[in-house]
Amino acid sequence: MTSLPGDPKSFYRAHIFVCTNERPENHPRGSCARKGSEKLRNYMKTRAKELGLVLEDGVRVNNAGCLERCELGPTIVIYPDAVWYRAETFADIDEILDVHVKQGGRVQRLMLKPEDGPDHSAKKK
């Protein structure tokens, strides 16, 4: 996504969305909530505050409804970078906060690529 002349500046330097969608147990696509995403989101919010990223650095951590990638979850997307991650542990969250949010890098081992997950080509037509 490209900014256009006249677009307002992003309200947050990093706006992090953690999928907390919950589907019924045994749903074929699974759900991020059933994979522990709520605990991960709560931990990420707490750690971001402890690290001074929230107030001092313009970072916001929110929950999100379905991000359409629950098979790969728990899923996280960080805007305005539009980088998607799969995080399963608190250590994964720490690494994302340190490498991506603080340092501006990427955690390659946790990144999701557009070709990962369900095929949405039919929706694009």
Side-chain angles (χ1 to χ4, degrees), residues 73-93:
T75 57
I76 296 169
V77 61
I78 302 176
Y79 289 108
D81 303 329
V83 174
W84 291 71
Y85 290 105
R86 176 178 196 233
E88 297 181 273
T89 67
F90 292 163
D92 292 342
I93 297 298

Side-chain angles (χ1 to χ4, degrees), residues 55-123:
L55 296 175
E56 299 167 19
D57 207 19
V59 174
R60 174 79 180 183
V61 178
N62 282 106
N63 66 302
C66 187
L67 294 173
E68 287 294 325
R69 298 180 100 180
C70 288
E71 301 88 339
L72 306 170
T75 57
I76 296 169
V77 61
I78 302 176
Y79 289 108
D81 303 329
V83 174
W84 291 71
Y85 290 105
R86 176 178 196 233
E88 297 181 273
T89 67
F90 292 163
D92 292 342
I93 297 298
D94 288 336
E95 191 172 358
I96 292 167
L97 287 173
D98 181 46
V99 174
H100 187 120
V101 179
K102 285 179 75 177
Q103 298 178 39
R106 301 295 183 262
V107 184
Q108 294 293 326
R109 71 179 187 84
L110 299 174
M111 284 177 67
L112 295 174
K113 295 167 185 59
E115 62 270 16
D116 295 334
D119 179 13
H120 291 289
S121 59
K123 290 183 180 180

Side-chain angles (χ1 to χ4, degrees), residues 16-20 37 40-41 44 61-64 67 75-76:
I16 305 166
F17 294 92
V18 180
C19 178
T20 57
S37 64
L40 294 171
R41 189 246 1 251
M44 187 175 232
V61 178
N62 282 106
N63 66 302
L67 294 173
T75 57
I76 296 169

